[in-house]
Amino acid sequence: MKKPPRLAGATAAAAAVVTVVLWASAFVSIRSAGDAYSPGALALGRLLSGVVALGILWGVRREGLPPRSAWRGIAISGVLWFGFYMVVLNWGEQQVDAGTAALVVNIGPILIALLGSRLLGDAMPPRLLAGMAVSFAGAVTVGLSMSGQGGSSVLGVVLCLLAAVAYAGGVVAQKPALAQASALQVTTFGCLIGAVVCLPFAGQLVQQAADAPVSATLNMVYLGVFPTALAFTTWAYALARTTASKMGATTYAVPALVVLMSWLALGEVPGLLTLAGGALCLAGVAVSRSRARSRTAAAEVEAAGVTPVVVTEPGATGADVVSAEPGATGARATVVVSAEPPSEDVSVKK
């Protein structure tokens, strides 16, 4: 049974919240496990843990294999995002502090917006652009305020930048696949492909697991089960119901959460500037996720003595009167509301 638009939108929003919270925790766990595991071994261990968790869920739900039309996007996202991204991010996090890593990686949403507009036809509404600008300013503030507290290097920044590029490419490749396959299918087989890509690190993983403390291994398993298996699935679920650009902007909440979690788990006490940056990140996400109300536009049209005809149109932002036609009882105006995928609450033609 199809969910009502408002319920579907709330479910997608909740899935996005789960994703950003768990991804923020990943930055802290990567640093905790990174002392015992090399970047490649940690990525492989994380992905194998994720494959096991996802495989069990996939088998229980009996979703079967994705259709052939989805495999291209799954394969590209699996190589770029699940494989390459995780290795270079782990490596980068060993060179820089958690705040700087979150800052550089969060260039990714800007790249997603640009690639999404170019390759997927995503709209670039003013609210989204404004929100991303505010959030990125907050991410810059967080990164600069924390960069002096840990060992940052040019290599680490470059690695995190490569992670951001791989992240953006993976998201844009994944979006079309979600139109053909379920979120669980796309995540399960993307994770499996990523694990295959990282198999050259199997020897390191076996050797280091024998010597690693239990806490580091548990962190690695946690990364696989929660920030990978669960968070990537909830991400895919939400991404299937909105644009890649808007989902990318939502991840700007991650730096603020990283600051909080680094404080609680690693003892990295944030200063006032760091807290201000985190607040900017969250404010920007709120702006980018907001939208104008179509009812307001319709009310303004009716007040002017015009009969509104409300329709949806791809690329529309908020609600705007785009045309008026003479009619028997006055003018008929077309009010366009945002035509996001099904989770959005849109009006129908009257």
Side-chain angles (χ1 to χ4, degrees), residues 209-285:
D211 301 326
V214 174
S215 60
T217 301
L218 289 177
N219 263 303
M220 181 175 66
V221 173
Y222 168 82
L223 285 167
V225 175
F226 293 97
T228 303
L230 177 56
F232 273 78
T233 302
T234 54
W235 162 274
Y237 177 87
L239 178 61
R241 290 158 176 78
T242 187
T243 65
S245 301
K246 182 170 284 191
M247 278 301 293
T250 303
T251 63
Y252 272 125
V254 170
L257 295 175
V258 168
V259 169
L260 176 61
M261 292 179 183
S262 296
W263 183 9
L264 297 176
L266 303 178
E268 298 176 352
V269 181
L272 291 178
L273 188 60
T274 304
L275 293 174
L280 280 176
C281 289
L282 296 177
V285 171

Side-chain angles (χ1 to χ4, degrees), residues 23-24 26-28 31 85 89 92-93 96-109 135-136 138-140 142-144 146 156 160-161 163-164 167 251-259 262 281:
W23 282 357
F27 283 91
V28 178
R31 293 192 66 199
Y85 166 84
L89 179 62
E93 280 232 41
V96 300
D97 55 76
T100 301
L103 158 64
V104 180
V105 170
N106 271 280
I107 294 173
S135 288
F136 186 68
V140 170
V142 169
L144 292 178
M146 296 181 68
C160 289
L161 181 58
Y167 159 48
T251 63
Y252 272 125
V254 170
L257 295 175
V258 168
V259 169
S262 296
C281 289

Side-chain angles (χ1 to χ4, degrees), residues 51-147:
V51 167
V52 171
L54 288 165
I56 293 172
L57 183 58
W58 173 74
V60 169
R61 291 181 60 87
R62 299 180 180 179
E63 294 205 3
L65 296 174
R68 291 180 61 184
S69 56
W71 275 104
R72 180 183 177 185
I74 293 173
I76 294 174
S77 66
V79 172
L80 288 180
W81 198 6
F82 287 88
F84 183 77
Y85 166 84
M86 291 194 182
V87 174
V88 295
L89 179 62
N90 293 345
W91 192 2
E93 280 232 41
Q94 292 182 355
Q95 308 293 320
V96 300
D97 55 76
T100 301
L103 158 64
V104 180
V105 170
N106 271 280
I107 294 173
I110 297 175
L111 299 177
I112 290 172
L114 295 175
L115 291 174
S117 176
R118 178 76 175 178
L119 301 177
L120 304 177
D122 286 355
M124 299 284 282
R127 286 172 181 264
L128 175 62
L129 294 175
M132 291 180 71
V134 172
S135 288
F136 186 68
V140 170
T141 303
V142 169
L144 292 178
S145 65
M146 296 181 68
S147 61

